[in-house]
Each structure stands twice: as structure tokens, then as C-alpha cells.
């Protein structure tokens, strides 16, 4: 979090839900609150990035609503998303 921001205010995803997902992994025994926070922020940044990139494709189709094909186009076009193919 930046100056003046608390961890709970800086994260938009529910930390309890993120922690439950982390603990669902059989290889994870303990997850610190800081680790859960960092994972939540990383997930938020990932969703923000892929949705902004997909929105470009929605705009090309003269739409304001993202569709699955927009995400597919972003995944196909952007090297950083190759792991999703």
C-alpha cells in the first residue's frame, strides 16, 4: 500500500476469499496476511491489465461491453498472456 493507505483499503478483492483460495492448495500449509494481500493485489492488477487490453478489442467492434472473444483476442495478441492459451 502507498503512503496513508491501509492494507484493507488498498485491496479490492475480499482478503478472506483470497486466503480461502490459497489454503485450498494442498501444498500450502500457512499463508501470512502479507502474502494473502500481495496475492490479492497481483490478481487485481492482472484483471485490470487483461480487461484494459480486451476493451481495446471491444471498442474495435464498436461495443462498450467486454465479450469472451475480446479476452481471447487479448490473450492471443499479447505475449505476456501466452500462459493462458
Amino acid at each position: 500500500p502507498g503512503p496513508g493507505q491501509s492494507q484493507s483499503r488498498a485491496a479490492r478483492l475480499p482478503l478472506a476469499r483470497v486466503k480461502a483460495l490459497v489454503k485450498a492448495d494442498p501444498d500450502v500449509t500457512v499463508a501470512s496476511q502479507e502474502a494473502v494481500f500481495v496475492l490479492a493485489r497481483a490478481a487485481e492488477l492482472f484483471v485490470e491489465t487483461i480487461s484494459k487490453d480486451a476493451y481495446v478489442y471491444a471498442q474495435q467492434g464498436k461495443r462498450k461491453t467486454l465479450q469472451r472473444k475480446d479476452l481471447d483476442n487479448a490473450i492471443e495478441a499479447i505475449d505476456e498472456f501466452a500462459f493462458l492459451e
Side-chain angles (χ1 to χ4, degrees):
Q5 285 184 314
S6 69
Q7 282 187 354
S8 61
R9 213 176 107 214
R12 288 178 234 145
L13 291 176
L15 296 180
R17 179 70 54 97
V18 174
K19 186 169 188 165
L21 289 170
V22 170
K23 291 211 159 221
D25 185 334
D27 294 331
V28 176
T29 53
V30 177
S32 71
Q33 193 63 20
E34 291 83 8
V36 170
F37 174 76
V38 169
L39 288 168
R41 281 297 293 144
E44 291 167 9
L45 292 171
F46 171 76
V47 170
E48 182 179 334
T49 300
I50 197 169
S51 24
K52 282 181 179 177
D53 291 333
Y55 187 65
V56 171
Y57 291 98
Q59 287 180 314
Q60 289 174 358
K62 307 284 191 248
R63 292 177 281 104
K64 291 184 179 182
T65 303
L66 288 183
Q67 296 178 356
R68 170 68 187 258
K69 63 184 174 183
D70 302 318
L71 291 167
D72 290 340
N73 288 333
I75 289 167
E76 202 172 295
I78 298 166
D79 292 340
E80 287 79 12
F81 299 142
F83 72 96
L84 296 170
E85 291 180 353

